Amino acid sequence: SKSKFTPHGILAYLYSLVLIALVTYLGLFAREIFGPMNLDMFYLLIVIMIAVRWGRGPAIMASVLSVLAFNHELDEWLNPGFY
């Protein structure tokens, strides 16, 4: 069995982080089209793809990051800053 700390294992976590960051960035523009409540399906799709491709560990990390990113994104949409 492969250790999670091999270069391949670390890359899986890094790719997961990059994919969640990409979905979050694209979601900033897509929320005007789809609405903020439908963006969670994009996160779900990415987490499932990560789970199938790289396994449980990167998928758990991606799911936690996607919840945090979606919560922040939703909060920004519902409560815009007053600057």
Side-chain angles (χ1 to χ4, degrees):
S1 77
K2 292 183 180 179
S3 171
K4 298 216 186 290
F5 297 107
T6 62
H8 176 71
I10 292 172
L11 283 178
Y13 286 90
L14 183 62
Y15 289 150
S16 299
L17 176 69
V18 169
L19 285 172
I20 294 299
L22 181 66
V23 168
T24 302
Y25 178 72
L26 294 175
L28 295 175
F29 303 106
R31 70 179 174 194
E32 299 299 324
I33 298 168
F34 298 109
M37 299 310 284
N38 293 325
L39 291 179
D40 59 347
M41 291 300 129
F42 292 113
Y43 286 112
L44 180 62
L45 176 65
I46 292 298
V47 169
I48 290 172
M49 289 171 45
I50 289 169
V52 168
R53 176 69 173 104
W54 291 301
R56 186 181 333 162
I60 291 172
M61 184 195 75
S63 66
V64 169
L65 289 176
S66 65
V67 166
L68 294 174
F70 178 72
N71 193 19
H72 175 72
E73 208 172 283
L74 186 63
D75 187 46
E76 285 293 319
W77 185 77
L78 292 176
N79 301 315
F82 297 101
Y83 300 110

